[in-house]
Amino acid sequence: MTKLGESCFHSCSSLTSVTIPSSVTDIGSACFQYCSSLSSITIPSSVTSIVGANFTGCTNLAEIKCFPTIPPTGNKGDTGANTTTCLLYVPESSIDAYKSASGWKEFKYIFAIESGETSEETTQCNAPTISYSDGKLHFTSSTEGAVYHYELSCADVTGSSYSENGSITLVAAYDITAYATADGYSASETAKATLYWINGTLDDTSAISAVNVRGVVASANNGIISVSGLAEGERVSFYTADGKLLGTSNANGGNASLSTSAKGVVIAKIGNQSIKIVAE
C-alpha cells in the first residue's frame, strides 16, 4: 500500500486511532474527515503528501505524531484539525521546519517526539516449540536470531518440607514455560510443555547406578498435541480423560503429534505408561 485514497475513512465514526503503514507516501483528500471518535494518529516518515483538510470534523483528535523530517505538503495548506487543542509531535530536529510550513505552523502546540520512539509497529517474535532429545531440552523459533527465556518447575523440588509417615510420592515431571525474543521484535507468546520421566531402555546396563528411565516432552498448542523424545516409529495413542480414543501416531524424528479439537486433559499412552497433557 502506497496511498490512502480520497475519503478513504470518511465518517468512520468508530475509528479511534490510526498507525499508517510505512509503505504509504500519500494521504488523499478528506481521508479522515468526520472520524468523530479519532483521538490520535501516527504518520510515518515515508509520507510526503497530505492533501489538505484531512481532519475536518475530527472533534476528538487530541494528538498527531508526524514522523517525516520534512513537513508533508498539501494542496490547501490546512489539515482541518483543531490547531488550538490538538497537539502536534514531530522530530526534534524538524520543529522549526514545521513551525514555518503551511498547514503545520497554525498548530499552537508543537512538541518533539520522544527519543527512540518509532512509527513502526513492532512485529511479535514467533513462539518457540519445546522438544526433548539426546538428554536435552530444545527450544526453536522460526524467527531468525531468536533467543529463549525459560523457567522450569517441579513439584518434587522444594526448599524445605516434612512428612508425617516418612513416605514421599515423587511426581517426576517438570513444567516448562518459554518465550522467545529477537532484535527488532517484541517478545513472543509463552509456550508451555511438561517433561516426564518414564520407563526406558538404556544401551549400557552394566553400570550399577544406571536408572532405567528416559525423558519425553509433551505439549499442546493451537490444537496440536505432541510428544517428543521418542524412539523412531514408537506408537503413541491419545485418549480423552474418560477413555475415548482420539487417535494414534507413530514417532517420526522422535516426535509424535495429533491434531484435535479436544479440550481439557488428554491422556497419551506410550507402551504401558500414560502421561497427562492439558489441551487449552
Side-chain angles (χ1 to χ4, degrees), residues 44-196:
S45 57
S46 57
V47 173
T48 58
S49 173
I50 301 178
V51 178
N54 248 275
F55 305 114
T56 297
C58 296
T59 53
N60 285 300
L61 187 61
E63 69 172 32
I64 299 172
K65 289 189 177 180
C66 198
F67 281 82
T69 54
I70 299 175
T73 59
N75 63 3
K76 293 184 180 179
D78 178 14
T79 63
N82 187 330
T83 56
T84 301
T85 59
C86 183
L87 307 181
L88 176 63
Y89 292 87
V90 302
E92 185 174 12
S93 61
S94 302
I95 289 179
D96 289 340
Y98 277 85
K99 285 184 176 181
S100 60
S102 176
W104 303 103
K105 63 184 179 181
E106 290 79 14
F107 281 83
K108 183 177 180 180
Y109 302 104
I110 302 179
F111 301 106
I113 294 171
E114 291 186 12
S115 177
E117 189 173 357
T118 176
S119 63
E120 299 291 333
E121 291 186 348
T122 303
T123 302
Q124 188 177 36
C125 193
N126 289 322
T129 57
I130 304 171
S131 60
Y132 184 86
S133 64
D134 301 323
K136 297 179 181 179
L137 282 174
H138 301 278
F139 305 119
T140 57
S141 170
S142 57
T143 301
E144 186 176 356
V147 295
Y148 307 97
H149 311 258
Y150 67 91
E151 289 185 5
L152 299 176
S153 62
C154 180
D156 294 337
V157 179
T158 182
S160 61
S161 189
Y162 74 98
S163 171
E164 293 182 353
N165 59 12
S167 178
I168 302 172
T169 300
L170 296 179
V171 176
Y174 284 89
D175 290 323
I176 308 161
T177 60
Y179 66 91
T181 59
D183 289 343
Y185 294 82
S186 60
S188 75
E189 295 180 356
T190 299
K192 299 178 181 180
T194 303
L195 170 62
Y196 293 94

Side-chain angles (χ1 to χ4, degrees), residues 188-243:
S188 75
E189 295 180 356
T190 299
K192 299 178 181 180
T194 303
L195 170 62
Y196 293 94
W197 296 106
I198 65 174
N199 291 340
T201 301
L202 296 180
D203 293 334
D204 181 8
T205 58
S206 61
I208 295 176
S209 61
V211 180
N212 193 26
V213 296
R214 58 175 172 154
V216 296
V217 163
S219 63
N221 294 291
N222 299 318
I224 303 295
I225 298 175
S226 60
V227 180
S228 63
L230 302 169
E232 191 67 19
E234 190 168 10
R235 189 178 184 85
V236 181
S237 299
F238 298 91
Y239 297 86
T240 61
D242 59 2

